[in-house]
Amino acid sequence: MNKTGRNDLCPCGSGKKYKNCCMIKDQALKQNQTKRYYRQNIILKTPEEIEGIRKAGRLVVETLDLVESKIRPGITTDYINNIVHEHTIKNNAIPAPLNYKGFPKSVCTSVNSVICHGIPGSYILKDGDIVNVDITSILNGYYADASKTFFVGTPSKQAAKIVSVAKECLKRGLLMVKPGNTLGDIGWAIQSFAESNGCSVVRDFVGHGVGLEFHEPPQVAHTGRRGHGLPLVENMVFTIEPMINLGRASLRILEDGWTAVTIDGSLSAQFEQTIVVTKNGYESLTPFPLE
């Protein structure tokens, strides 16, 4: 394609020279596009997009709260799926997991030694189980993603420990988020805390950019070296979602092609929020307490 010169006729058909017509507008558009894209094809979100993700995030947290109110021994994981699906549809949103690359349900429910991507079904929750519920909703075209691990009835000491460590890992990862820090700082904070408590961090699954699509760049590892990796900049939107095992970090995928379980049968827990990097730190777009 030939490039329009300053003194050429403007392509818009006005009859004016390009420099006296659309050149300034085109240059401004190009500059805005350059500002919008960071390294590795990361899309920096506009204020309007952040507000759209924030609204989707409110629905995700509301749905998690609804699920939490229903968690008890005797219900099936498919019952949790029905709660999430119906509440999402009722609020004019779409459950992002449903039919995503063939995933058959509207939510992931990961029980005990299941690390992630558990498929809801006929499993009946028992007293002492832990279950992670991972919800992603699409509202008006915007995606928000969050998860929590819940106790079913009275937890064992091991269950209480892994849930507490996983929750604190997310909290410490979030505290690393501010312009000028790096993705490595996030991973370092999570890894150092988990391992100092005798737990391990899953390497095979990571956080990710989100907002305009379900999964966007960058990948957000939950292990890392302080000061290494991609620097954070304002208006990046991504998830932090450490998966923490009580035993080894190794995993295997079940025959369904989705369910990831710990290789040694140890308990696994996860907490996740969608965040935006702000001028001085971060804002959670799916906020819930981490105390």
Side-chain angles (χ1 to χ4, degrees), residues 26-73:
D26 289 349
Q27 287 175 337
L29 178 61
K30 184 177 180 180
Q31 185 179 27
N32 286 337
Q33 288 175 336
T34 301
K35 288 180 178 179
R36 181 169 170 75
Y37 284 86
Y38 187 41
R39 306 179 199 175
Q40 302 176 6
N41 294 320
I42 298 166
I43 299 176
L44 302 180
K45 306 304 191 288
T46 66
E48 293 77 16
E49 289 166 344
I50 292 168
E51 179 58 25
I53 301 165
R54 186 183 289 113
K55 288 178 180 178
R58 291 190 193 115
L59 175 59
V60 169
V61 173
E62 180 182 288
T63 310
L64 280 169
D65 288 344
L66 178 61
V67 169
E68 185 169 17
S69 73
K70 304 293 184 180
I71 292 286
R72 65 181 186 278

mmCIF file of all heavy atoms in Angstrom, residues 26-73:
data_model
loop_
_atom_site.group_PDB
_atom_site.id
_atom_site.type_symbol
_atom_site.label_atom_id
_atom_site.label_comp_id
_atom_site.label_asym_id
_atom_site.label_seq_id
_atom_site.Cartn_x
_atom_site.Cartn_y
_atom_site.Cartn_z
ATOM 1 N N ASP A 26 -5.009 11.424 11.818
ATOM 2 C CA ASP A 26 -4.418 10.099 11.655
ATOM 3 C C ASP A 26 -3.221 9.909 12.577
ATOM 4 O O ASP A 26 -3.023 8.824 13.150
ATOM 5 C CB ASP A 26 -4.000 9.883 10.204
ATOM 6 C CG ASP A 26 -5.199 9.715 9.270
ATOM 7 O OD1 ASP A 26 -6.325 9.554 9.769
ATOM 8 O OD2 ASP A 26 -4.992 9.772 8.040
ATOM 9 N N GLN A 27 -2.421 10.966 12.735
ATOM 10 C CA GLN A 27 -1.265 10.875 13.613
ATOM 11 C C GLN A 27 -1.692 10.684 15.068
ATOM 12 O O GLN A 27 -1.081 9.922 15.825
ATOM 13 C CB GLN A 27 -0.387 12.122 13.476
ATOM 14 C CG GLN A 27 0.386 12.177 12.167
ATOM 15 C CD GLN A 27 1.160 13.468 12.006
ATOM 16 O OE1 GLN A 27 0.839 14.493 12.621
ATOM 17 N NE2 GLN A 27 2.176 13.441 11.160
ATOM 18 N N ALA A 28 -2.754 11.394 15.462
ATOM 19 C CA ALA A 28 -3.264 11.261 16.835
ATOM 20 C C ALA A 28 -3.787 9.853 17.084
ATOM 21 O O ALA A 28 -3.571 9.265 18.148
ATOM 22 C CB ALA A 28 -4.363 12.293 17.083
ATOM 23 N N LEU A 29 -4.482 9.300 16.067
ATOM 24 C CA LEU A 29 -5.011 7.939 16.202
ATOM 25 C C LEU A 29 -3.872 6.935 16.354
ATOM 26 O O LEU A 29 -3.916 6.044 17.212
ATOM 27 C CB LEU A 29 -5.860 7.585 14.983
ATOM 28 C CG LEU A 29 -6.444 6.163 14.945
ATOM 29 C CD1 LEU A 29 -7.365 5.941 16.128
ATOM 30 C CD2 LEU A 29 -7.181 5.929 13.630
ATOM 31 N N LYS A 30 -2.834 7.099 15.526
ATOM 32 C CA LYS A 30 -1.677 6.205 15.610
ATOM 33 C C LYS A 30 -1.001 6.301 16.976
ATOM 34 O O LYS A 30 -0.601 5.301 17.563
ATOM 35 C CB LYS A 30 -0.685 6.539 14.497
ATOM 36 C CG LYS A 30 0.499 5.589 14.442
ATOM 37 C CD LYS A 30 1.406 5.924 13.275
ATOM 38 C CE LYS A 30 2.587 4.959 13.218
ATOM 39 N NZ LYS A 30 3.486 5.276 12.086
ATOM 40 N N GLN A 31 -0.900 7.519 17.504
ATOM 41 C CA GLN A 31 -0.283 7.711 18.818
ATOM 42 C C GLN A 31 -1.102 7.047 19.907
ATOM 43 O O GLN A 31 -0.571 6.394 20.809
ATOM 44 C CB GLN A 31 -0.126 9.198 19.117
ATOM 45 C CG GLN A 31 0.617 9.486 20.419
ATOM 46 C CD GLN A 31 0.776 10.971 20.660
ATOM 47 O OE1 GLN A 31 -0.024 11.777 20.197
ATOM 48 N NE2 GLN A 31 1.811 11.336 21.386
ATOM 49 N N ASN A 32 -2.428 7.180 19.833
ATOM 50 C CA ASN A 32 -3.292 6.553 20.826
ATOM 51 C C ASN A 32 -3.187 5.039 20.778
ATOM 52 O O ASN A 32 -3.195 4.358 21.808
ATOM 53 C CB ASN A 32 -4.751 6.974 20.611
ATOM 54 C CG ASN A 32 -5.006 8.397 21.064
ATOM 55 O OD1 ASN A 32 -4.272 8.927 21.882
ATOM 56 N ND2 ASN A 32 -6.024 9.029 20.519
ATOM 57 N N GLN A 33 -3.088 4.485 19.555
ATOM 58 C CA GLN A 33 -2.953 3.042 19.419
ATOM 59 C C GLN A 33 -1.640 2.562 20.010
ATOM 60 O O GLN A 33 -1.574 1.518 20.644
ATOM 61 C CB GLN A 33 -3.058 2.653 17.940
ATOM 62 C CG GLN A 33 -4.472 2.791 17.381
ATOM 63 C CD GLN A 33 -4.523 2.525 15.895
ATOM 64 O OE1 GLN A 33 -3.530 2.671 15.187
ATOM 65 N NE2 GLN A 33 -5.683 2.133 15.414
ATOM 66 N N THR A 34 -0.593 3.356 19.814
ATOM 67 C CA THR A 34 0.705 3.001 20.374
ATOM 68 C C THR A 34 0.652 3.005 21.894
ATOM 69 O O THR A 34 1.189 2.121 22.560
ATOM 70 C CB THR A 34 1.788 3.980 19.881
ATOM 71 O OG1 THR A 34 1.842 3.926 18.459
ATOM 72 C CG2 THR A 34 3.153 3.612 20.451
ATOM 73 N N LYS A 35 -0.014 3.995 22.474
ATOM 74 C CA LYS A 35 -0.140 4.065 23.928
ATOM 75 C C LYS A 35 -0.985 2.912 24.470
ATOM 76 O O LYS A 35 -0.779 2.448 25.583
ATOM 77 C CB LYS A 35 -0.787 5.391 24.334
ATOM 78 C CG LYS A 35 0.126 6.600 24.164
ATOM 79 C CD LYS A 35 -0.599 7.868 24.599
ATOM 80 C CE LYS A 35 0.296 9.085 24.479
ATOM 81 N NZ LYS A 35 -0.410 10.326 24.867
ATOM 82 N N ARG A 36 -1.949 2.443 23.673
ATOM 83 C CA ARG A 36 -2.878 1.423 24.129
ATOM 84 C C ARG A 36 -2.193 0.059 24.258
ATOM 85 O O ARG A 36 -2.558 -0.744 25.093
ATOM 86 C CB ARG A 36 -4.043 1.348 23.151
ATOM 87 C CG ARG A 36 -5.117 0.328 23.518
ATOM 88 C CD ARG A 36 -6.336 0.534 22.645
ATOM 89 N NE ARG A 36 -7.308 -0.516 22.755
ATOM 90 C CZ ARG A 36 -8.130 -0.696 23.771
ATOM 91 N NH1 ARG A 36 -8.048 0.131 24.806
ATOM 92 N NH2 ARG A 36 -9.017 -1.661 23.786
ATOM 93 N N TYR A 37 -1.205 -0.182 23.402
ATOM 94 C CA TYR A 37 -0.540 -1.473 23.426
ATOM 95 C C TYR A 37 0.781 -1.388 24.166
ATOM 96 O O TYR A 37 1.609 -0.532 23.879
ATOM 97 C CB TYR A 37 -0.321 -1.993 22.007
ATOM 98 C CG TYR A 37 -1.580 -2.528 21.383
ATOM 99 C CD1 TYR A 37 -2.462 -1.693 20.721
ATOM 100 C CD2 TYR A 37 -1.907 -3.871 21.491
ATOM 101 C CE1 TYR A 37 -3.635 -2.178 20.167
ATOM 102 C CE2 TYR A 37 -3.076 -4.380 20.939
ATOM 103 C CZ TYR A 37 -3.930 -3.525 20.272
ATOM 104 O OH TYR A 37 -5.097 -4.013 19.739
ATOM 105 N N TYR A 38 0.940 -2.296 25.123
ATOM 106 C CA TYR A 38 2.193 -2.404 25.859
ATOM 107 C C TYR A 38 2.978 -3.544 25.214
ATOM 108 O O TYR A 38 2.645 -4.014 24.127
ATOM 109 C CB TYR A 38 1.877 -2.659 27.331
ATOM 110 C CG TYR A 38 3.040 -2.628 28.292
ATOM 111 C CD1 TYR A 38 4.037 -1.669 28.178
ATOM 112 C CD2 TYR A 38 3.136 -3.561 29.317
ATOM 113 C CE1 TYR A 38 5.097 -1.642 29.068
ATOM 114 C CE2 TYR A 38 4.174 -3.537 30.218
ATOM 115 C CZ TYR A 38 5.159 -2.576 30.087
ATOM 116 O OH TYR A 38 6.209 -2.552 30.967
ATOM 117 N N ARG A 39 4.011 -4.018 25.857
ATOM 118 C CA ARG A 39 4.795 -5.120 25.313
ATOM 119 C C ARG A 39 3.973 -6.407 25.263
ATOM 120 O O ARG A 39 2.978 -6.557 25.949
ATOM 121 C CB ARG A 39 6.033 -5.359 26.181
ATOM 122 C CG ARG A 39 6.891 -4.131 26.394
ATOM 123 C CD ARG A 39 8.069 -4.493 27.290
ATOM 124 N NE ARG A 39 8.654 -3.302 27.893
ATOM 125 C CZ ARG A 39 9.621 -3.336 28.788
ATOM 126 N NH1 ARG A 39 10.113 -4.484 29.197
ATOM 127 N NH2 ARG A 39 10.107 -2.216 29.300
ATOM 128 N N GLN A 40 4.413 -7.333 24.414
ATOM 129 C CA GLN A 40 3.804 -8.670 24.327
ATOM 130 C C GLN A 40 2.311 -8.613 23.995
ATOM 131 O O GLN A 40 1.529 -9.441 24.445
ATOM 132 C CB GLN A 40 4.034 -9.441 25.632
ATOM 133 C CG GLN A 40 5.489 -9.615 25.999
ATOM 134 C CD GLN A 40 5.692 -10.304 27.340
ATOM 135 O OE1 GLN A 40 4.743 -10.759 27.958
ATOM 136 N NE2 GLN A 40 6.922 -10.376 27.797
ATOM 137 N N ASN A 41 1.905 -7.605 23.220
ATOM 138 C CA ASN A 41 0.498 -7.459 22.802
ATOM 139 C C ASN A 41 -0.470 -7.278 23.965
ATOM 140 O O ASN A 41 -1.646 -7.636 23.873
ATOM 141 C CB ASN A 41 0.063 -8.658 21.946
ATOM 142 C CG ASN A 41 0.799 -8.714 20.625
ATOM 143 O OD1 ASN A 41 1.032 -7.681 19.994
ATOM 144 N ND2 ASN A 41 1.173 -9.906 20.200
ATOM 145 N N ILE A 42 0.011 -6.718 25.049
ATOM 146 C CA ILE A 42 -0.851 -6.430 26.195
ATOM 147 C C ILE A 42 -1.656 -5.169 25.899
ATOM 148 O O ILE A 42 -1.091 -4.119 25.589
ATOM 149 C CB ILE A 42 -0.017 -6.227 27.469
ATOM 150 C CG1 ILE A 42 0.745 -7.516 27.807
ATOM 151 C CG2 ILE A 42 -0.898 -5.803 28.640
ATOM 152 C CD1 ILE A 42 1.832 -7.322 28.827
ATOM 153 N N ILE A 43 -2.970 -5.275 26.003
ATOM 154 C CA ILE A 43 -3.850 -4.129 25.758
ATOM 155 C C ILE A 43 -4.054 -3.373 27.067
ATOM 156 O O ILE A 43 -4.573 -3.928 28.038
ATOM 157 C CB ILE A 43 -5.207 -4.578 25.193
ATOM 158 C CG1 ILE A 43 -5.012 -5.291 23.848
ATOM 159 C CG2 ILE A 43 -6.140 -3.385 25.035
ATOM 160 C CD1 ILE A 43 -6.296 -5.850 23.272
ATOM 161 N N LEU A 44 -3.633 -2.126 27.091
ATOM 162 C CA LEU A 44 -3.903 -1.273 28.251
ATOM 163 C C LEU A 44 -5.336 -0.782 28.136
ATOM 164 O O LEU A 44 -5.746 -0.237 27.117
ATOM 165 C CB LEU A 44 -2.913 -0.108 28.291
ATOM 166 C CG LEU A 44 -1.435 -0.508 28.334
ATOM 167 C CD1 LEU A 44 -0.552 0.728 28.380
ATOM 168 C CD2 LEU A 44 -1.147 -1.428 29.516
ATOM 169 N N LYS A 45 -6.088 -0.969 29.198
ATOM 170 C CA LYS A 45 -7.516 -0.712 29.139
ATOM 171 C C LYS A 45 -7.837 0.770 29.317
ATOM 172 O O LYS A 45 -7.178 1.491 30.079
ATOM 173 C CB LYS A 45 -8.249 -1.528 30.212
ATOM 174 C CG LYS A 45 -7.961 -3.040 30.165
ATOM 175 C CD LYS A 45 -8.270 -3.663 28.817
ATOM 176 C CE LYS A 45 -8.255 -5.184 28.841
ATOM 177 N NZ LYS A 45 -6.913 -5.775 28.958
ATOM 178 N N THR A 46 -8.890 1.225 28.624
ATOM 179 C CA THR A 46 -9.369 2.597 28.755
ATOM 180 C C THR A 46 -10.227 2.710 30.014
ATOM 181 O O THR A 46 -10.693 1.692 30.558
ATOM 182 C CB THR A 46 -10.219 2.981 27.544
ATOM 183 O OG1 THR A 46 -11.420 2.176 27.547
ATOM 184 C CG2 THR A 46 -9.465 2.768 26.239
ATOM 185 N N PRO A 47 -10.489 3.941 30.491
ATOM 186 C CA PRO A 47 -11.386 4.093 31.651
ATOM 187 C C PRO A 47 -12.754 3.459 31.421
ATOM 188 O O PRO A 47 -13.331 2.862 32.352
ATOM 189 C CB PRO A 47 -11.494 5.610 31.805
ATOM 190 C CG PRO A 47 -10.203 6.130 31.257
ATOM 191 C CD PRO A 47 -9.873 5.227 30.101
ATOM 192 N N GLU A 48 -13.271 3.558 30.205
ATOM 193 C CA GLU A 48 -14.575 2.967 29.911
ATOM 194 C C GLU A 48 -14.516 1.442 30.000
ATOM 195 O O GLU A 48 -15.444 0.801 30.521
ATOM 196 C CB GLU A 48 -15.039 3.394 28.507
ATOM 197 C CG GLU A 48 -15.347 4.880 28.363
ATOM 198 C CD GLU A 48 -14.099 5.750 28.249
ATOM 199 O OE1 GLU A 48 -12.987 5.210 27.975
ATOM 200 O OE2 GLU A 48 -14.221 6.973 28.449
ATOM 201 N N GLU A 49 -13.444 0.865 29.506
ATOM 202 C CA GLU A 49 -13.297 -0.587 29.572
ATOM 203 C C GLU A 49 -13.109 -1.059 31.005
ATOM 204 O O GLU A 49 -13.683 -2.084 31.405
ATOM 205 C CB GLU A 49 -12.112 -1.018 28.700
ATOM 206 C CG GLU A 49 -12.396 -0.876 27.212
ATOM 207 C CD GLU A 49 -11.159 -0.977 26.337
ATOM 208 O OE1 GLU A 49 -10.031 -0.855 26.866
ATOM 209 O OE2 GLU A 49 -11.319 -1.169 25.120
ATOM 210 N N ILE A 50 -12.351 -0.328 31.769
ATOM 211 C CA ILE A 50 -12.148 -0.690 33.180
ATOM 212 C C ILE A 50 -13.477 -0.664 33.928
ATOM 213 O O ILE A 50 -13.771 -1.547 34.737
ATOM 214 C CB ILE A 50 -11.114 0.247 33.833
ATOM 215 C CG1 ILE A 50 -9.727 -0.013 33.230
ATOM 216 C CG2 ILE A 50 -11.077 0.062 35.349
ATOM 217 C CD1 ILE A 50 -8.697 1.033 33.576
ATOM 218 N N GLU A 51 -14.307 0.336 33.629
ATOM 219 C CA GLU A 51 -15.624 0.398 34.274
ATOM 220 C C GLU A 51 -16.483 -0.791 33.862
ATOM 221 O O GLU A 51 -17.207 -1.367 34.687
ATOM 222 C CB GLU A 51 -16.324 1.712 33.926
ATOM 223 C CG GLU A 51 -17.722 1.869 34.520
ATOM 224 C CD GLU A 51 -17.760 1.765 36.043
ATOM 225 O OE1 GLU A 51 -16.724 2.046 36.702
ATOM 226 O OE2 GLU A 51 -18.822 1.392 36.573
ATOM 227 N N GLY A 52 -16.398 -1.197 32.595
ATOM 228 C CA GLY A 52 -17.147 -2.370 32.150
ATOM 229 C C GLY A 52 -16.689 -3.633 32.857
ATOM 230 O O GLY A 52 -17.511 -4.472 33.268
ATOM 231 N N ILE A 53 -15.373 -3.797 33.023
ATOM 232 C CA ILE A 53 -14.833 -4.965 33.735
ATOM 233 C C ILE A 53 -15.233 -4.904 35.202
ATOM 234 O O ILE A 53 -15.562 -5.927 35.818
ATOM 235 C CB ILE A 53 -13.300 -5.028 33.576
ATOM 236 C CG1 ILE A 53 -12.915 -5.121 32.095
ATOM 237 C CG2 ILE A 53 -12.738 -6.231 34.333
ATOM 238 C CD1 ILE A 53 -11.455 -4.829 31.815
ATOM 239 N N ARG A 54 -15.222 -3.696 35.776
ATOM 240 C CA ARG A 54 -15.620 -3.518 37.170
ATOM 241 C C ARG A 54 -17.063 -3.971 37.390
ATOM 242 O O ARG A 54 -17.380 -4.645 38.391
ATOM 243 C CB ARG A 54 -15.444 -2.058 37.573
ATOM 244 C CG ARG A 54 -15.707 -1.784 39.054
ATOM 245 C CD ARG A 54 -15.576 -0.306 39.378
ATOM 246 N NE ARG A 54 -14.193 0.176 39.321
ATOM 247 C CZ ARG A 54 -13.729 1.039 38.421
ATOM 248 N NH1 ARG A 54 -14.535 1.539 37.490
ATOM 249 N NH2 ARG A 54 -12.466 1.416 38.454
ATOM 250 N N LYS A 55 -17.956 -3.627 36.471
ATOM 251 C CA LYS A 55 -19.360 -4.036 36.591
ATOM 252 C C LYS A 55 -19.488 -5.552 36.488
ATOM 253 O O LYS A 55 -20.253 -6.173 37.243
ATOM 254 C CB LYS A 55 -20.197 -3.341 35.519
ATOM 255 C CG LYS A 55 -20.406 -1.856 35.773
ATOM 256 C CD LYS A 55 -21.213 -1.209 34.656
ATOM 257 C CE LYS A 55 -21.421 0.283 34.932
ATOM 258 N NZ LYS A 55 -22.160 0.956 33.830
ATOM 259 N N ALA A 56 -18.746 -6.158 35.564
ATOM 260 C CA ALA A 56 -18.750 -7.620 35.469
ATOM 261 C C ALA A 56 -18.197 -8.228 36.744
ATOM 262 O O ALA A 56 -18.691 -9.254 37.234
ATOM 263 C CB ALA A 56 -17.928 -8.060 34.258
ATOM 264 N N GLY A 57 -17.187 -7.574 37.326
ATOM 265 C CA GLY A 57 -16.587 -8.051 38.568
ATOM 266 C C GLY A 57 -17.554 -8.032 39.735
ATOM 267 O O GLY A 57 -17.538 -8.933 40.591
ATOM 268 N N ARG A 58 -18.399 -7.006 39.777
ATOM 269 C CA ARG A 58 -19.398 -6.947 40.854
ATOM 270 C C ARG A 58 -20.326 -8.149 40.772
ATOM 271 O O ARG A 58 -20.712 -8.730 41.802
ATOM 272 C CB ARG A 58 -20.201 -5.653 40.755
ATOM 273 C CG ARG A 58 -19.415 -4.395 41.082
ATOM 274 C CD ARG A 58 -20.330 -3.197 41.201
ATOM 275 N NE ARG A 58 -19.578 -1.949 41.205
ATOM 276 C CZ ARG A 58 -19.634 -1.013 40.270
ATOM 277 N NH1 ARG A 58 -20.452 -1.174 39.241
ATOM 278 N NH2 ARG A 58 -18.916 0.090 40.359
ATOM 279 N N LEU A 59 -20.702 -8.526 39.557
ATOM 280 C CA LEU A 59 -21.571 -9.686 39.394
ATOM 281 C C LEU A 59 -20.857 -10.965 39.814
ATOM 282 O O LEU A 59 -21.453 -11.821 40.481
ATOM 283 C CB LEU A 59 -22.040 -9.799 37.937
ATOM 284 C CG LEU A 59 -22.876 -11.044 37.603
ATOM 285 C CD1 LEU A 59 -24.140 -11.107 38.468
ATOM 286 C CD2 LEU A 59 -23.229 -11.073 36.119
ATOM 287 N N VAL A 60 -19.589 -11.108 39.474
ATOM 288 C CA VAL A 60 -18.824 -12.292 39.860
ATOM 289 C C VAL A 60 -18.782 -12.424 41.382
ATOM 290 O O VAL A 60 -19.026 -13.507 41.929
ATOM 291 C CB VAL A 60 -17.397 -12.234 39.284
ATOM 292 C CG1 VAL A 60 -16.519 -13.320 39.915
ATOM 293 C CG2 VAL A 60 -17.424 -12.401 37.768
ATOM 294 N N VAL A 61 -18.479 -11.335 42.085
ATOM 295 C CA VAL A 61 -18.395 -11.380 43.544
ATOM 296 C C VAL A 61 -19.769 -11.668 44.151
ATOM 297 O O VAL A 61 -19.892 -12.448 45.108
ATOM 298 C CB VAL A 61 -17.817 -10.066 44.096
ATOM 299 C CG1 VAL A 61 -17.883 -10.037 45.627
ATOM 300 C CG2 VAL A 61 -16.371 -9.884 43.640
ATOM 301 N N GLU A 62 -20.791 -11.069 43.592
ATOM 302 C CA GLU A 62 -22.160 -11.325 44.052
ATOM 303 C C GLU A 62 -22.506 -12.802 43.897
ATOM 304 O O GLU A 62 -23.132 -13.411 44.781
ATOM 305 C CB GLU A 62 -23.130 -10.464 43.244
ATOM 306 C CG GLU A 62 -24.581 -10.612 43.613
ATOM 307 C CD GLU A 62 -25.470 -9.758 42.722
ATOM 308 O OE1 GLU A 62 -25.461 -8.520 42.879
ATOM 309 O OE2 GLU A 62 -26.163 -10.327 41.852
ATOM 310 N N THR A 63 -22.082 -13.401 42.796
ATOM 311 C CA THR A 63 -22.352 -14.819 42.548
ATOM 312 C C THR A 63 -21.560 -15.703 43.503
ATOM 313 O O THR A 63 -22.072 -16.703 44.019
ATOM 314 C CB THR A 63 -22.031 -15.172 41.087
ATOM 315 O OG1 THR A 63 -22.654 -14.233 40.208
ATOM 316 C CG2 THR A 63 -22.549 -16.566 40.750
ATOM 317 N N LEU A 64 -20.303 -15.344 43.762
ATOM 318 C CA LEU A 64 -19.510 -16.083 44.760
ATOM 319 C C LEU A 64 -20.164 -16.023 46.138
ATOM 320 O O LEU A 64 -20.210 -17.027 46.860
ATOM 321 C CB LEU A 64 -18.090 -15.517 44.830
ATOM 322 C CG LEU A 64 -17.112 -15.951 43.744
ATOM 323 C CD1 LEU A 64 -15.847 -15.101 43.806
ATOM 324 C CD2 LEU A 64 -16.759 -17.439 43.873
ATOM 325 N N ASP A 65 -20.664 -14.855 46.504
ATOM 326 C CA ASP A 65 -21.337 -14.711 47.797
ATOM 327 C C ASP A 65 -22.582 -15.588 47.859
ATOM 328 O O ASP A 65 -22.882 -16.196 48.909
ATOM 329 C CB ASP A 65 -21.724 -13.249 48.041
ATOM 330 C CG ASP A 65 -20.532 -12.355 48.330
ATOM 331 O OD1 ASP A 65 -19.449 -12.890 48.646
ATOM 332 O OD2 ASP A 65 -20.682 -11.119 48.237
ATOM 333 N N LEU A 66 -23.313 -15.662 46.753
ATOM 334 C CA LEU A 66 -24.509 -16.508 46.701
ATOM 335 C C LEU A 66 -24.125 -17.971 46.866
ATOM 336 O O LEU A 66 -24.766 -18.713 47.640
ATOM 337 C CB LEU A 66 -25.241 -16.280 45.378
ATOM 338 C CG LEU A 66 -26.501 -17.121 45.151
ATOM 339 C CD1 LEU A 66 -27.548 -16.846 46.221
ATOM 340 C CD2 LEU A 66 -27.063 -16.857 43.749
ATOM 341 N N VAL A 67 -23.082 -18.397 46.172
ATOM 342 C CA VAL A 67 -22.614 -19.775 46.307
ATOM 343 C C VAL A 67 -22.203 -20.063 47.751
ATOM 344 O O VAL A 67 -22.567 -21.100 48.319
ATOM 345 C CB VAL A 67 -21.431 -20.034 45.347
ATOM 346 C CG1 VAL A 67 -20.757 -21.369 45.677
ATOM 347 C CG2 VAL A 67 -21.897 -20.019 43.897
ATOM 348 N N GLU A 68 -21.466 -19.130 48.350
ATOM 349 C CA GLU A 68 -21.004 -19.332 49.728
ATOM 350 C C GLU A 68 -22.178 -19.552 50.685
ATOM 351 O O GLU A 68 -22.091 -20.369 51.612
ATOM 352 C CB GLU A 68 -20.173 -18.136 50.182
ATOM 353 C CG GLU A 68 -19.548 -18.312 51.551
ATOM 354 C CD GLU A 68 -18.518 -17.245 51.878
ATOM 355 O OE1 GLU A 68 -18.505 -16.194 51.209
ATOM 356 O OE2 GLU A 68 -17.714 -17.471 52.800
ATOM 357 N N SER A 69 -23.264 -18.858 50.444
ATOM 358 C CA SER A 69 -24.436 -18.993 51.315
ATOM 359 C C SER A 69 -25.117 -20.358 51.172
ATOM 360 O O SER A 69 -25.906 -20.762 52.033
ATOM 361 C CB SER A 69 -25.451 -17.882 51.011
ATOM 362 O OG SER A 69 -26.114 -18.095 49.777
ATOM 363 N N LYS A 70 -24.816 -21.075 50.086
ATOM 364 C CA LYS A 70 -25.454 -22.367 49.829
ATOM 365 C C LYS A 70 -24.537 -23.565 50.111
ATOM 366 O O LYS A 70 -24.993 -24.714 50.085
ATOM 367 C CB LYS A 70 -25.891 -22.436 48.363
ATOM 368 C CG LYS A 70 -26.818 -21.310 47.913
ATOM 369 C CD LYS A 70 -28.176 -21.378 48.578
ATOM 370 C CE LYS A 70 -29.100 -20.291 48.006
ATOM 371 N NZ LYS A 70 -30.449 -20.328 48.651
ATOM 372 N N ILE A 71 -23.252 -23.303 50.352
ATOM 373 C CA ILE A 71 -22.298 -24.402 50.557
ATOM 374 C C ILE A 71 -22.609 -25.143 51.852
ATOM 375 O O ILE A 71 -22.698 -24.533 52.922
ATOM 376 C CB ILE A 71 -20.854 -23.866 50.604
ATOM 377 C CG1 ILE A 71 -20.421 -23.330 49.231
ATOM 378 C CG2 ILE A 71 -19.887 -24.945 51.098
ATOM 379 C CD1 ILE A 71 -20.125 -24.391 48.212
ATOM 380 N N ARG A 72 -22.765 -26.449 51.737
ATOM 381 C CA ARG A 72 -23.020 -27.286 52.917
ATOM 382 C C ARG A 72 -22.822 -28.745 52.523
ATOM 383 O O ARG A 72 -22.896 -29.094 51.332
ATOM 384 C CB ARG A 72 -24.446 -27.082 53.440
ATOM 385 C CG ARG A 72 -25.527 -27.528 52.472
ATOM 386 C CD ARG A 72 -26.929 -27.295 52.999
ATOM 387 N NE ARG A 72 -27.936 -27.866 52.116
ATOM 388 C CZ ARG A 72 -28.399 -27.271 51.022
ATOM 389 N NH1 ARG A 72 -27.940 -26.071 50.667
ATOM 390 N NH2 ARG A 72 -29.314 -27.870 50.275
ATOM 391 N N PRO A 73 -22.590 -29.631 53.487
ATOM 392 C CA PRO A 73 -22.525 -31.051 53.157
ATOM 393 C C PRO A 73 -23.848 -31.522 52.554
ATOM 394 O O PRO A 73 -24.924 -31.081 52.965
ATOM 395 C CB PRO A 73 -22.278 -31.718 54.520
ATOM 396 C CG PRO A 73 -21.652 -30.656 55.358
ATOM 397 C CD PRO A 73 -22.306 -29.371 54.911
#
